[in-house]
Amino acid sequence: MSYVDEVLELVKKKNASEPEFIQAVTEVLNSLRPVVEANEELYRKNAILERITEPDRQIMFRVPWVDDKGQVQVNRGFRVQFNNAIGPYKGGLRLHPSVNLGIIKFLGFEQIFKNSLTSLPIGGGKGGSDFDPKGKSDREIMAFCQSFMTELSKYIGADVDVPAGDIGTGAREIGFMFGQYKRMKGTFEGVLTGKGLTYGGSLARTEATGYGLLYLTQELMKCHGESMEGKTVVVSGAGNVAIYATQKAQQMGAKVVTCSDSTGWIYDPEGIDVALLKEVKEVKRARLTEYAAARPSAEYHEGRGVWQIQCDIALPCATQNELLIDDAKQLVANGCKCVCEGANMPTTIDATEYLQQNGVWFVGGKAANAGGVATSALEMSQNSERLSWSFEEVDAKLQNIMVNIYHNIDDAAKRYGMEGNYVAGANIAGFEKVVNAMLAQGVC
Ligand code: NDP
Ligand code: 2IT
């Protein structure tokens, strides 16, 4: 049996109840086959694949908090510190009722390769809780965040592990958590990113994931002799990534005609009104029905359905496994040319393969959504030097990083005879740097 197959078997056996983690590892290891085969003896002797698929540590803890009725509630908190070969653990905190250890592990595992691709010194980690922020008052959110950070503060630090936002965790939650960390530790340090601008946050971090996704997509289109101008774009999600992806796509001259949330989706043939979407989602924290009610050109549909709309470019920006094989078939049938993932693992493995086999330019989240964490690393740099850079300076660095990521993954795919396979290119380019660092640092 090949080394890759051996380790895949082992990972499946050891993590049998974690389907998302197995999915993420299967995708990565399968695409690393040519690199592993070229270095099989060295990697096997050093147990590189066993080590990279086993987190340094996984922390699970109770999060008790009191709701507005005086009732004590209990959630489960997680932090998976996966790999710090190239820098302190770095990755977001997801607050969503679906969160479990397997989901946090898949996200932490992907973060290793994504963070490596940014070219900045950050390792891979992820955390969160099965807490559901929906419908909670600001006081309840604060009570949860304070309790969560009371325990998490024991394991993180500006040079140890630097969490940030993800689904359900935005500026409000980061603020409450930062305040509690400061109380627990008595130090004002860059222990979280995505902070408010008045206490160490970076300009352009809010926009960075969505903007970065479009900078990479634009470069991909350019390298195929195309531009964003006049293209029809379908976006899923209506959160941080989706909103700023939509905004940047429109600034580039494309028309974004959909968005979605956990209950339904919008088709707006005149183009999504970003100011209205921001008002509904960022300010009112309301359902998309409110968007439809305020916008005569928009249709609201219950359930899921954005992938059935005709488009040139599809940008999944909501959550994992939201673009399935039938959606991939529909996209291809409708003439979609390009799919770039704003979310983490939104496309299933069979859907990814179908898109690739049918000539769709497909860039996975590890490359396409790396702009968020890259800008987090820029926030860490600013915190370290106790300075703040202008929006233009951060945005220019972000653009540069995303263009470089595209060329690095394209080159890595070509080096291994897989031109156009950006999934393999991203995994290989991300892996090479981490492996070099692991080998240099010995058995640890
Ligand atoms: P938000 O919480 O801001 O938004 C998430 C959006 O997706 C919401 O519109 C939400 O609907 C929808 N959604 C969430 N879960 C589901 C579900 N199970 N089914 C259908 N819709 C769902 O999160 P982000 O925009 O920050 O994150 C979106 C994706 O991007 C995630 O995969 C995240 O890991 C990834 N990502 C985020 C980065 C960041 O910097 N924030 C960086 C890189 C990747 P509703 O409004 O109803 O809650
Ligand atoms: O998935 C991701 O890359 C994020 N949620 C952002 C992580 C970060 O540390 O900014």
Side-chain angles (χ1 to χ4, degrees):
M1 208 191 266
S2 74
Y3 181 38
V4 164
D5 286 320
E6 259 175 47
V7 175
L8 270 177
E9 283 298 300
L10 184 75
V11 168
K12 285 178 189 164
K13 210 170 110 197
K14 284 173 86 173
N15 306 279
S17 61
E18 297 170 353
E20 292 87 358
F21 179 57
I22 292 173
Q23 181 183 342
V25 173
T26 302
E27 187 235 79
V28 170
L29 293 199
N30 272 333
S31 70
L32 292 178
R33 280 178 198 278
V35 188
V36 175
E37 274 159 25
N39 301 279
E40 177 137 353
E41 210 185 312
L42 178 69
Y43 289 178
R44 201 189 266 275
K45 187 152 186 256
N46 285 281
I48 287 294
L49 297 183
E50 290 89 336
R51 284 157 66 196
I52 211 164
T53 54
E54 184 71 23
D56 288 357
R57 65 194 63 78
Q58 38 198 53
I59 300 147
M60 270 172 71
F61 50 94
R62 183 176 64 240
V63 188
W65 56 279
V66 182
D67 73 14
D68 284 348
K69 296 192 186 103
Q71 174 66 45
V72 177
Q73 301 285 346
V74 178
N75 286 101
R76 182 172 283 182
F78 302 89
R79 186 72 184 167
V80 172
Q81 298 178 330
F82 222 115
N83 184 300
N84 65 355
I86 65 169
Y89 307 106
K90 182 85 197 85
L93 296 170
R94 178 174 293 192
L95 301 182
H96 192 273
S98 63
V99 163
N100 58 39
L101 183 61
I103 288 183
I104 299 300
K105 275 171 69 178
F106 114 66
L107 291 161
F109 179 70
E110 297 230 308
Q111 206 82 44
I112 304 169
F113 305 92
K114 183 196 304 192
N115 294 3
S116 167
L117 283 174
T118 66
S119 76
L120 300 168
I122 39 179
K126 199 85 183 190
S129 172
D130 58 3
F131 173 76
D132 186 359
K134 282 211 178 70
K136 303 287 190 298
S137 68
D138 282 353
R139 196 211 59 82
E140 288 176 320
I141 297 284
M142 182 169 74
F144 169 83
C145 289
Q146 290 183 339
S147 180
F148 180 81
M149 183 51 86
T150 300
E151 184 62 23
L152 186 67
S153 63
K154 298 171 187 166
Y155 309 104
I156 62 176
D159 294 315
V160 179
D161 182 356
V162 183
D166 193 79
I167 291 178
T169 306
R172 176 182 58 168
E173 291 73 21
I174 293 292
F176 291 147
M177 290 183 195
F178 184 78
Q180 186 68 359
Y181 182 87
K182 202 161 50 75
R183 270 171 97 190
M184 301 295 301
K185 295 282 178 148
T187 60
F188 191 109
E189 61 178 65
V191 67
L192 292 163
T193 59
K195 298 184 294 298
L197 297 177
T198 50
Y199 59 95
S202 173
L203 285 160
R205 175 62 188 91
T206 305
E207 295 85 354
T209 311
Y211 278 21
L213 173 66
L214 267 296
Y215 294 143
L216 182 137
T217 306
Q218 184 180 47
E219 187 66 13
L220 166 86
M221 296 292 281
K222 196 176 106 191
C223 292
H224 288 88
E226 299 262 7
S227 82
M228 294 300 297
E229 186 71 40
K231 295 293 182 297
T232 300
V233 180
V234 159
V235 168
S236 67
N240 173 267
V241 181
I243 287 171
Y244 293 96
T246 300
Q247 186 175 72
K248 186 50 77 177
Q250 290 179 346
Q251 285 171 10
M252 290 173 171
K255 189 198 261 189
V256 179
V257 293
T258 63
C259 61
S260 65
D261 68 11
S262 48
T263 52
W265 60 284
I266 294 283
Y267 175 50
D268 191 342
E270 289 190 4
I272 295 293
D273 178 339
V274 174
L276 176 60
L277 185 61
K278 286 173 81 166
E279 175 69 19
V280 171
K281 284 291 171 186
E282 290 183 348
V283 182
K284 294 187 180 160
R285 300 180 190 273
R287 314 304 323 157
L288 283 175
T289 42
E290 292 215 12
Y291 177 95
R295 177 100 170 146
S297 58
E299 296 168 14
Y300 174 81
H301 301 270
E302 289 289 325
R304 55 194 297 285
V306 296
W307 314 123
Q308 72 197 40
I309 299 298
Q310 191 283 326
C311 67
D312 303 300
I313 297 169
L315 305 174
C317 296
T319 191
Q320 67 273 2
N321 294 331
E322 52 153 328
L323 199 166
L324 313 176
I325 181 71
D326 287 343
D327 304 320
K329 288 180 180 168
Q330 185 81 63
L331 286 169
V332 169
N334 285 344
C336 173
K337 277 198 173 132
C338 168
V339 175
C340 293
E341 295 184 329
N344 287 310
M345 207 170 74
T347 314
T348 57
I349 291 181
D350 55 348
T352 302
E353 285 168 359
Y354 185 86
L355 292 168
Q356 289 176 319
Q357 283 156 9
N358 284 277
V360 174
W361 306 319
F362 180 93
V363 184
K366 290 181 220 93
N369 71 37
V373 76
T375 307
S376 277
L378 300 178
E379 182 172 329
M380 290 165 71
S381 299
Q382 294 168 75
N383 292 166
S384 294
E385 61 176 16
R386 299 188 193 281
L387 292 173
S388 302
W389 305 338
S390 68
F391 186 95
E392 290 69 27
E393 195 173 349
V394 180
D395 190 43
K397 286 185 171 32
L398 170 63
Q399 285 187 51
N400 201 19
I401 289 168
M402 298 313 295
V403 167
N404 283 339
I405 290 177
Y406 172 73
H407 289 287
N408 286 341
I409 68 174
D410 187 38
D411 289 347
K414 285 177 182 154
R415 264 194 284 129
Y416 284 91
M418 295 184 283
E419 181 163 358
N421 186 342
Y422 303 112
V423 172
N427 291 336
I428 292 168
F431 176 75
E432 283 177 334
K433 181 175 168 189
V434 176
V435 166
N436 284 342
M438 285 171 70
L439 289 170
Q441 292 170 32
V443 180
C444 57

